[in-house]
Amino acid sequence: MSGENEKFCTVLIHYEKGVPPTSDELSKKLESKKDSIKAEALEELILLMINGEAYPKLLMTIIRFVVTCNDHRVKKLLTIYWEIVEKTKENGDLKEEMILVCNALRNDLIHANEYVCGSTLRLLCKMKYYRILEPLKEAVLRNLGHRHSYVRRNAVMCVFSIVKSFGVEVLPEAPEDIEQLLLVEGDLSTKRNAFLMLLNCDQDRAIKYVLSLQDQVSSMGDIFQLSVLELVRKVCRSTSVNKGRFLRIVFDLASSSSTAVSYDCASSLVSLSSSPVAIHQAAQAYVTLLTEQSDNNVKLIVLDRLREVQKHHKQVMEGMVMDIFRALSCPSLDVRKKVMDICLGSLVSPRNIKDVVSLLKKEVIKTLGHEANATEGNMEYRRLLIRALHACTGQYPDQAQSVMFLLMDFLTEADQTTATEVVMFLRELIANYADLRMPILQRLSECVGDVPQSRVLRGCLWLFGEFCEEESLIESVIDGILASVRPLPLIVEDAAAKEAKKDKSEEKAKAKSAKITTKTVVLADGTYGTQNVYEGGEEEQQEEDKPEVKKSAFRTLLIGGDFLLSAMLGVSLTKLSMKCKNLSTAKKNEILLLVVNLFKLVKQHNCGGEKSDSAVRLTQCIRSLVGSGAQLSESQNAAKQLLQAEWSSGTGRSQLAKVLELATQNSEWAMGQEEEVVEKSVAPEECIVFRQLRERKGGGGSGGAMEDDDDFSAARGTSIAGQAAADGALFSERLAKVQQMTGLADPVYVEAFLQVHSFDLVLELLVVNRTSDTLQNVLVELSTQGDLKLVDRPPAVTLAAGQQMTVHASIKVASTETGIIFGYVTFEKNSAADKECSVLNELHVDILDYIERSWIGELAFRTMWSEFEWENKVNINTSITEVGTFLEHIMRNTNMSIVGRSFKKGSSDKDKKKGKLSADDVKEMLKEAVGIKKLIDTSSFVAVNLYAKSIFGEDALANVSIEKLPDGKLTGSCRIRSRTQGIALSLGDRITIVQRGVQGPPGSAGKPK
């Protein structure tokens, strides 16, 4: 079909037409002598025609009675009518009435009113019928010299549209006329339109014009400058003849006050040149936009561009780190996180580390202010800054002294994550840098009593026991710990004592209110007066009130039954007392009293007992603290010596070194390391294209390269076979996802193919008429369950006997939750009075399409695990007998990766879907996880933490605990936690289905912990 016979639709307006009027009714209104009635009738006619009604007889009526009207509203409506009216007959020939329409359009083109001329020219831009445009060419070209810029602007676009649609041969004089207009034109929009036409139709003239005004481009308007940049990109990619002069223009425009021009210049410089000067200019333009624009979306886009520049031009970006850091003033956490990702890592060097650390310290101090604490996301930003300082000082220890005391103030924070980040930072400094141990441990001993978090206290106590060596430091640490838990012994108050104390305090509060008595007295002058006498009060109660000792957070946790903390305290004090040979007897006795006191608390607690882990550990400590071996049995003395040998062997430090090495490998920011850039590999048989030797015709795209590759493939005889194999693989993959919605014996057979496009689903339905009758109004009615919203419903179709047709439905997805699509199909037969109906099978949306592999650290995982409210527990019931195989199977089918291990290996598979784990990825991940691999090979019990993230930003946590029974079977459970119920249930259902390859027993329902 030729271009003129295609039906163009450029206007779409919804209209509830109800019962449409007849042609005669509309004709009477159009023939009215009142312009207002004509306008109303013409408007109604346009709306009806846009929505499918055809009124072919009214064309002549409009030509006779409406075209001659000079009312402005009627003129506006006429331009829309000419746009939508059917202009050809059924055979494709132009209707005879169009000759009269051409005459009316020509009269409008030479109309005295500039608005009528301009709007008619805009109408002709949308006309795709050359036989209508041919008699109007002269009038269009004449308007290029119109006195009004509105007409000239639209005349240029009309000429451009004609040349673009039918070729420059229909208007051979157009490029020259446009060039002459460009030289004398003063209106910026008209000049831009004229330049765009030359750019697309006669590139040589456009180049000549730009080079003639090279020094004046920077003073022209932004819309014209954007057009010049488009020409620069187009020309420089095809030829390098004038590349230097064009790049000079781009350099001049990079400092433009227009943000659009500045951004476009930076993109052009990065894509056209690899010169350090050009890249620096581009990066400078990006940084200016980053710091001056207030819109967070703009900042995020610019940061993405800077990230791309950083990957390939690290040396240039290194000097701009401090400028990029200025974007931390933005309150958006997403912007701040991206700034950190760009600046920390390969851009941090010995030359700028001091400035970076100083800036991060200032930002940390800002988060402590009153205004900052009231800001949303302040706590998360503080954690981010602490992690950044940890990463910086880990690689550059000379900067650690300037920040470690500042960060130690956060140990007393109520936020556990912040305090834990700090203690992990201090642990690394103490382990790696011996000269920093003394001041850090000394300061820790002073503030240990104020730390409210059990996990943080355990970390500090372990550091005391492992790294305190000097006797003066040991004594100081012991004094600090004992001072924080005094007075001894630690006694747990029972419920009755607490109640009695509470009642007593209430009585005291009542008694404190003094009794007031008013008396009448005789004054010195003989008159009467009143006197208030206070009886009782605070003075009488002072003797009864005893001052209560303020309890530290450390002491409160111990009395509250924290067994892990009790055991850690006992071990640390025992290690310290064994290291200090000159410790006084009184201190040793007090330590022994405290450890025995802790053992008693653990033993008497409801959840403890003599055989609990903490009680056993404290018993070992007591044995080590008591006198000589004569007081112990032979077995107890041997156990004591074994324990002391283990503590003095340095095993703890060696294991910590391995942990820190692993943490460095999987660090969020690797300082001073180059980012991995995926190298493009080209197969030996790929065709090499020399663009310089190619013949240039017109705009010359990249299609030539494809033609060369196709020719080479055909010469090798692989084109047809290779294409067939690719088509076959695509067809088999598509066929595997097709689901049958109705039975083959049903009158209408329906099968569905569900395709996922990020947040949208496209449901492709194949509808087949299985009867020998024609079925009318075949309609597939769909409904959804879950966070799915039906956007476009399938239209009703008519199917002949045996005919099949494909219809589509669009569905919007709101969250990661197992969605269900269900419905029915209705149809009518000519012989039947009522509609018939067939129910469709349910179609389940696969959650795997929304889960992407992601990485998370162990600390963040534990924090989320304790915060998330929804948990779903799925029991393991599988025929797989190998732990490693089962774990690989679960990870591959859920896209979940091992916590604490970043997997950054690039994949060479071009067709690999983004964010999906392949079998090779899973094997490589397990191979690198040496500890887990060793557990799988040697132990009958394995527990692994897994993590994934949905495309909606939802976090999914999983703990897989697997036990291998003596008979070879696997048992255990998978616990999934998330912030919302949907992803926990959906992921649990997914694991239940895939763990055996078939539908297994359903997991327990998600419920709040």
Side-chain angles (χ1 to χ4, degrees), residues 168 227 301 315 411 415 675 898 934:
V168 73
S227 303
I301 292 170
Q315 290 78 11
L411 286 173
D415 179 46
E675 290 201 9
I898 298 174
K934 188 175 180 181

Side-chain angles (χ1 to χ4, degrees), residues 727-988:
D727 291 344
L730 182 63
F731 177 73
S732 61
E733 181 184 353
R734 184 184 175 93
L735 193 62
K737 294 184 178 180
V738 170
Q739 298 194 34
Q740 189 174 328
M741 306 293 284
T742 61
L744 291 171
D746 290 330
V748 177
Y749 172 73
V750 182
E751 66 180 25
F753 172 69
L754 190 63
Q755 197 166 6
V756 179
H757 298 290
S758 62
F759 302 115
D760 299 318
L761 298 176
V762 177
L763 184 62
E764 187 177 300
L765 297 165
L766 176 66
V767 185
V768 184
N769 182 3
R770 303 281 294 174
T771 67
S772 57
D773 301 326
T774 298
L775 301 181
Q776 297 177 345
N777 293 328
V778 180
L779 181 63
V780 180
E781 288 284 354
L782 297 174
S783 297
T784 58
Q785 180 180 343
D787 281 341
L788 302 177
K789 181 182 179 182
L790 204 59
V791 179
D792 294 327
R793 297 181 180 275
V797 296
T798 300
L799 298 176
Q803 185 183 359
Q804 65 182 32
M805 191 173 293
T806 302
V807 294
H808 297 83
S810 297
I811 300 167
K812 196 79 173 174
V813 186
S815 70
T816 311
E817 185 176 345
T818 300
I820 300 174
I821 303 170
F822 57 94
Y824 53 90
V825 55
T826 60
F827 54 91
E828 298 174 358
K829 291 183 179 179
N830 291 332
S831 57
D834 299 329
K835 288 185 177 180
E836 297 188 30
C837 174
S838 297
V839 179
L840 303 177
N841 292 331
E842 291 182 349
L843 184 65
H844 292 259
V845 179
D846 191 358
I847 187 179
L848 194 63
D849 293 322
Y850 306 110
I851 299 291
E852 293 182 345
R853 65 173 178 179
S854 188
W855 177 88
I856 194 175
E858 293 181 359
L859 179 60
F861 178 88
R862 292 194 186 100
T863 305
M864 289 183 183
W865 187 268
S866 62
E867 290 177 354
F868 286 179
E869 299 179 353
W870 292 95
E871 178 175 311
N872 188 9
K873 184 176 180 181
V874 178
N875 294 324
I876 294 175
N877 185 5
T878 180
S879 57
I880 301 173
T881 57
E882 294 296 329
V883 176
T885 306
F886 178 75
L887 195 57
E888 287 181 19
H889 182 67
I890 293 296
M891 291 172 64
R892 191 173 64 252
N893 284 281
T894 57
N895 277 331
M896 303 191 84
S897 54
I898 298 174
V899 171
R901 293 198 172 267
S902 59
F903 189 72
K904 302 173 183 176
K905 182 180 177 183
S907 176
S908 59
D909 186 3
K910 295 179 183 178
D911 300 326
K912 183 177 176 180
K913 294 181 180 178
K914 179 186 176 184
K916 306 302 178 186
L917 278 176
S918 66
D920 294 336
D921 293 340
V922 173
K923 288 180 180 178
E924 186 71 23
M925 199 180 298
L926 288 174
K927 183 180 177 182
E928 290 187 357
V930 181
I932 296 175
K933 186 68 176 173
K934 188 175 180 181
L935 267 180
I936 292 173
D937 295 338
T938 60
S939 177
S940 60
F941 179 81
V942 177
V944 183
N945 292 330
L946 304 177
Y947 174 77
K949 199 168 189 175
S950 73
I951 61 175
F952 305 99
E954 300 167 316
D955 298 295
L957 316 178
N959 172 262
V960 183
S961 302
I962 313 168
E963 183 181 1
K964 190 168 185 179
L965 300 176
D967 59 359
K969 291 184 178 180
L970 299 183
T971 185
S973 63
C974 299
R975 297 167 63 197
I976 302 111
R977 285 193 184 182
S978 64
R979 198 178 298 276
T980 56
Q981 182 186 19
I983 190 170
L985 292 175
S986 302
L987 205 55

Side-chain angles (χ1 to χ4, degrees), residues 357-384:
V357 171
S358 176
L359 184 138
L360 293 175
K361 281 173 57 181
K362 291 178 182 177
E363 290 296 319
V364 170
I365 295 171
K366 285 181 184 178
T367 62
L368 301 174
H370 178 70
E371 293 182 3
N373 286 325
T375 306
E376 185 180 358
N378 183 63
M379 191 67 70
E380 289 81 0
Y381 181 44
R382 189 184 301 167
R383 295 174 193 165
L384 185 67

